Amino acid sequence: MTDAAVPAPSGAHVAGRAHDILLVALIALRPLIWSGQASAWDNLAWLLLALVALLWLVIDAWRGRVRTWRFGVGGILGAALLLILLPAALRSPYPSTGMGLWGMAVIHLGFAAYLMQVIPGRERLAFAALMGALVVECLVALGQWAWVLPKMAAALAGGDPAIAALENANGDLANRVAYGGLFGTFTLANTLAAFLLLAAVPFLGVLTTGQGRQRIVAAVVIVLSASVAIGTASKGAAVALAVAGALVWTLHITGRRRWLAVTVLVVGAIAVAGIPHLQGLGEASAKVRLGYWQGATGLIAERPVIGHGIDGFAAHGTRTMPLDAEPTRHVHNDVLEATVDGGLLAGVALLALLGWCARRRPATTIAAITGPGDLPRQWPAAWPLLLFFPVFSALGMLASNLEWWPLGAGEMTWWLWPLLLSGVAIAIALVGARLPLPPAWAWQLALAAFALHCLVDFNFQSPAIWGTLIVVAVLAGGRVQSVGTCRISRSVVTLLVVALAGGLVFGIQRTVPRTLVAARLAAPVDDALAMRARTSAAVALSAHWPADNNLLLAALRTSPADGRLDLSRDVALRMPWSTEVHETMASELARAGRWDEAVTALRLAVTRNPAYLPRRQRLVDLLTHAASVLPSQAEALLAEAAHERQRIVDLALVVHPRNRLPKPPASGLSVQPAP
């Protein structure tokens, strides 16, 4: 008796299975890795996985398995936006951050191209992976409500040194823990709400098209997502969904019922305006955003063509915002922020991209007519998540949440929760593969609500949002263009992937020494020689392109006193917008007895952020001390000090509470370190 020959799997079969696994992993992991830091290890691992997927696609093209390249107008608009923002990345006030964000965006554009090629025939796989990520995200947010926020509040109340080190003089962390809402794997509740708009809203369509148990599953997902959405307390997301719902209803319904949603929206707005509490909340949010937008328009007027570079508002916004504006690093309007960064052309390109994604699609799209042919492939594609979740968690994914969960911080037990959550993601994906895909109107509702949310908040600082938007936009379908591989050479595609890989390798080479030097700067050192050595290492590293100005600031804060003045002068030349640098230089000049220069430097710091009263108080103290040692200028200096003192009294009734003098008042030192 002879053994029967087992046919070896064909190359196409192996390639198809590999794409199944990569597709599910990339979609399921992306929302759970919030980090906008290009140097975060979990984020780098995801980017590397995306490059592996692109490389596998190139191998398929070389072997003749890719007959045509598929693309859409959205991809063209995204590529145009990145080209427009390239000068903004090069001119960023924080070059390493700007180039890091731009490089990550380029890889995400490659991710979009990958999805365009592999999703046809795998729509249910992709939708099931998105559903698994949505449920895990909701569970993480609920775990935050049950364990993370209460434990953080207790740690703050008990004076835990580890958590107290994250707090500032204004108590922002305590306020956020108490009132900031659920934020899941993101950093802000509003960003989690934006993710829910993209990932959860399409299940409203499943609820209408499904049958029996399918509707029950969709209803459970909607209720779970709604409970988390309520926990975010995001007013902007609620308004965006309401307006988008009225818009989509009007576009898709005919007859007299067409205007029903608009009527309900108007009546609801009038009713909300009549409730004093809700009216007050709405007015407060609107006032805050109007202040941000006023500051943004001021910066746009300064440089309407070329912009201020990526993160330009974070660097320059304090000098153009109204005095009563709440401190922030973002415009709370992605289109305005893109315009501040890259000029009017960048703002128009982003607006066009959002509008194109939110457009009305045909009632029957490629996603809606796909059959259940990919159902048997779900388990082989999903089970590798049992490996991906623990590995990515070891690199930092979910760490800021799970370390507060029971057993989450144990050296021998930390992996239990990632393993359990991966099991949940797999189970949900297996169930989700049996659901009907959402109809066209549900996709449009999700994308339109997200686009409107981008006009009242900031969403594009998180690559997790980029990736989710790409997945939803591709699944939504629409008109797709294609060209034969002969017209887009395989070699060209190969070179593009090699260039992306080279960029990622370059980024990792910059990340490793930067991380090591940053860790050395954070460690307390009493020896002056050791302080000088690590400061020199940070300065030398930050001189490499792209310059790491954040590392340079850390070096300035921890540099030895005898060299801080010269270093502050050098840093001020590279970061003339930084109030912290100018105030540090003023402190060192005062310490050296160079009072005229110290006063000039601190005046400049005040003009960069005129609403921050503690710095004005430090200017008063410095002017008073300078008058005591400069008799010839004493009268003028004391008069200026009196004027500033009165200015502080007047502004105390105007500026935001976070910009007011601390209580108890600042000490009598001539110059205090900037907060």
Side-chain angles (χ1 to χ4, degrees), residues 342-363:
L344 292 172
L345 198 57
V348 171
L350 179 57
L351 188 62
L353 177 60
L354 291 173
W356 179 259
C357 290
R359 75 193 186 281
R360 180 178 180 178
R361 290 168 170 80

Side-chain angles (χ1 to χ4, degrees), residues 235-598:
K235 300 178 289 293
V239 172
L241 182 59
V243 175
L247 174 64
V248 172
W249 177 280
T250 304
L251 290 175
H252 288 267
I253 301 297
T254 58
R256 294 182 177 180
R257 293 190 306 154
R258 180 177 190 178
W259 306 108
L260 178 62
V262 175
T263 303
V264 171
L265 182 64
V266 172
V267 172
I270 295 173
V272 168
I275 301 175
H277 176 66
L278 295 179
Q279 182 183 9
L281 290 176
E283 289 179 353
S285 296
K287 182 180 179 181
V288 166
R289 280 160 174 75
L290 287 174
Y292 300 157
W293 299 345
Q294 181 178 335
T297 53
L299 292 177
I300 293 170
E302 291 178 0
R303 293 184 177 179
V305 178
I306 61 175
H308 291 268
I310 292 177
D311 273 342
F313 187 81
H316 304 285
T318 54
R319 62 180 173 80
T320 58
M321 284 193 296
L323 292 173
D324 60 348
E326 182 178 354
T328 184
R329 292 179 56 84
H330 299 290
V331 182
H332 289 64
N333 181 309
D334 284 317
V335 174
L336 281 179
E337 185 144 4
T339 309
V340 171
D341 292 348
L344 292 172
L345 198 57
V348 171
L350 179 57
L351 188 62
L353 177 60
L354 291 173
W356 179 259
C357 290
R359 75 193 186 281
R360 180 178 180 178
R361 290 168 170 80
T364 302
T365 66
I366 186 173
I369 63 176
T370 301
D374 53 351
L375 281 176
R377 299 150 60 179
Q378 189 64 39
W379 167 249
W383 76 260
L385 292 179
L386 289 170
L387 303 176
F388 281 118
F389 266 61
V391 170
F392 274 76
S393 295
L395 295 173
M397 184 183 80
L398 304 176
S400 60
N401 277 283
L402 297 188
E403 65 184 8
W404 296 91
W405 289 26
L407 304 178
E411 293 185 3
M412 302 299 295
T413 58
W414 65 267
W415 53 271
L416 293 175
W417 285 115
L419 194 63
L420 179 60
L421 290 175
S422 67
V424 171
I426 292 170
I428 295 300
L430 294 176
V431 173
R434 287 159 174 78
L435 297 180
L437 290 165
W441 67 262
W443 293 117
Q444 185 187 15
L445 177 59
L447 290 165
F450 175 78
L452 290 172
H453 190 259
C454 288
L455 301 181
V456 295
D457 223 311
F458 58 96
N459 300 314
F460 285 105
Q461 280 65 40
S462 172
I465 294 295
W466 307 348
T468 306
L469 173 62
I470 289 168
V471 171
V472 172
V474 173
L475 280 174
R479 180 174 296 178
V480 175
Q481 309 295 328
S482 62
V483 295
T485 54
C486 60
R487 296 181 62 185
I488 299 182
S489 168
R490 300 170 185 171
S491 300
V492 172
V493 177
T494 304
L495 288 175
L496 290 175
V497 174
V498 170
L500 289 177
L504 184 60
V505 170
F506 175 78
I508 293 175
Q509 288 179 337
R510 291 280 286 113
T511 295
V512 173
R514 192 263 180 209
T515 302
L516 295 176
V517 172
R520 291 176 60 192
L521 289 173
V525 174
D526 294 329
D527 182 70
L529 290 177
M531 294 174 64
R532 192 173 292 108
R534 69 183 190 179
T535 300
S536 299
V539 172
L541 184 61
S542 63
H544 298 164
W545 185 88
D548 194 331
N549 286 346
N550 287 315
L551 186 64
L552 202 59
L553 281 175
L556 179 61
R557 297 185 191 111
T558 60
S559 61
D562 58 352
R564 193 172 299 158
L565 177 56
D566 292 336
L567 180 58
S568 65
R569 287 182 179 277
D570 294 338
V571 177
L573 293 175
R574 292 171 55 173
M575 304 176 65
W577 62 86
S578 174
T579 56
E580 178 182 352
V581 173
H582 287 292
E583 186 167 1
T584 301
M585 184 165 63
S587 176
E588 296 306 313
L589 287 167
R591 197 187 310 275
R594 298 159 67 171
W595 297 100
D596 284 339
E597 295 176 76

Side-chain angles (χ1 to χ4, degrees), residues 107-324:
I107 293 180
H108 278 76
L109 183 64
F111 172 57
Y114 175 77
L115 293 185
M116 288 293 292
Q117 315 314 314
V118 304
I119 273 190
R122 297 183 176 91
E123 286 84 356
R124 291 178 184 273
L125 280 175
F127 183 63
L130 180 64
M131 180 177 172
L134 170 63
V135 172
V136 171
E137 181 70 47
C138 290
L139 292 178
V140 170
L142 293 177
Q144 203 169 66
W145 167 76
W147 296 310
V148 179
L149 296 180
K151 288 185 177 181
M152 290 184 71
L156 282 168
D160 186 325
I163 194 72
L166 303 176
E167 185 59 285
N168 59 23
N170 297 311
D172 290 338
L173 179 60
N175 183 73
R176 179 179 168 189
V177 169
Y179 308 109
L182 303 179
F183 49 90
T185 61
F186 299 91
T187 55
L188 293 171
N190 287 342
T191 314
L192 174 58
F195 167 75
L196 293 175
L197 289 177
L198 286 170
V201 168
F203 283 90
L204 294 172
V206 178
L207 190 63
T208 62
T209 58
Q211 298 178 354
R213 294 180 180 178
Q214 294 175 336
R215 289 187 173 183
I216 295 175
V217 172
V220 170
V221 173
I222 291 172
V223 170
L224 179 64
S225 302
S227 64
V228 174
I230 293 172
T232 66
S234 175
K235 300 178 289 293
V239 172
L241 182 59
V243 175
L247 174 64
V248 172
W249 177 280
T250 304
L251 290 175
H252 288 267
I253 301 297
T254 58
R256 294 182 177 180
R257 293 190 306 154
R258 180 177 190 178
W259 306 108
L260 178 62
V262 175
T263 303
V264 171
L265 182 64
V266 172
V267 172
I270 295 173
V272 168
I275 301 175
H277 176 66
L278 295 179
Q279 182 183 9
L281 290 176
E283 289 179 353
S285 296
K287 182 180 179 181
V288 166
R289 280 160 174 75
L290 287 174
Y292 300 157
W293 299 345
Q294 181 178 335
T297 53
L299 292 177
I300 293 170
E302 291 178 0
R303 293 184 177 179
V305 178
I306 61 175
H308 291 268
I310 292 177
D311 273 342
F313 187 81
H316 304 285
T318 54
R319 62 180 173 80
T320 58
M321 284 193 296
L323 292 173
D324 60 348

